[in-house]
Amino acid sequence: MTQKIGAKALISELPKWSPCDGRDAVCRTFKFNDFNEAFGFMTRVALKADAMDHHPEWFNVYDKVEVTLTTHDADGVTDKDVELARFMDGAAR
């Protein structure tokens, strides 16, 4: 069962993430050395997200990946977002 948490609670657990303006979502921009590294990150995250059936909103240009996490069917941030954010933080190292 998905548990709604809210963006502010997630921020206290994951300080590299920020609340998104105007909605219950969190955002983070990941910066990499080049496109290949950014795309590799996106591939690892895509496999995890698909296994979770929980997909991020994201935008990529060259070495930068901008991510928004929210659980659409819960209309806000949930434990699924926490799990995916933690995975992304680890995958970006």
Side-chain angles (χ1 to χ4, degrees), residues 20-85:
C20 297
D21 291 335
R23 60 193 284 208
D24 188 17
V26 291
C27 304
R28 180 172 176 196
T29 299
F30 293 89
K31 182 97 161 106
F32 300 94
N33 291 321
D34 55 28
F35 178 75
N36 188 43
E37 199 173 295
F39 195 83
F41 165 79
M42 292 179 73
T43 301
R44 289 187 298 280
V45 171
L47 293 170
K48 171 70 170 174
D50 205 46
M52 292 177 63
D53 192 28
H54 186 63
H55 305 91
E57 299 172 20
W58 55 11
F59 180 75
N60 165 246
V61 175
Y62 186 60
D63 62 348
K64 184 170 40 172
V65 180
E66 297 173 4
V67 179
T68 300
L69 294 178
T70 191
T71 304
H72 295 102
D73 58 353
D75 197 30
V77 175
T78 69
D79 54 336
K80 287 183 174 184
D81 301 300
V82 172
E83 181 179 347
L84 192 54

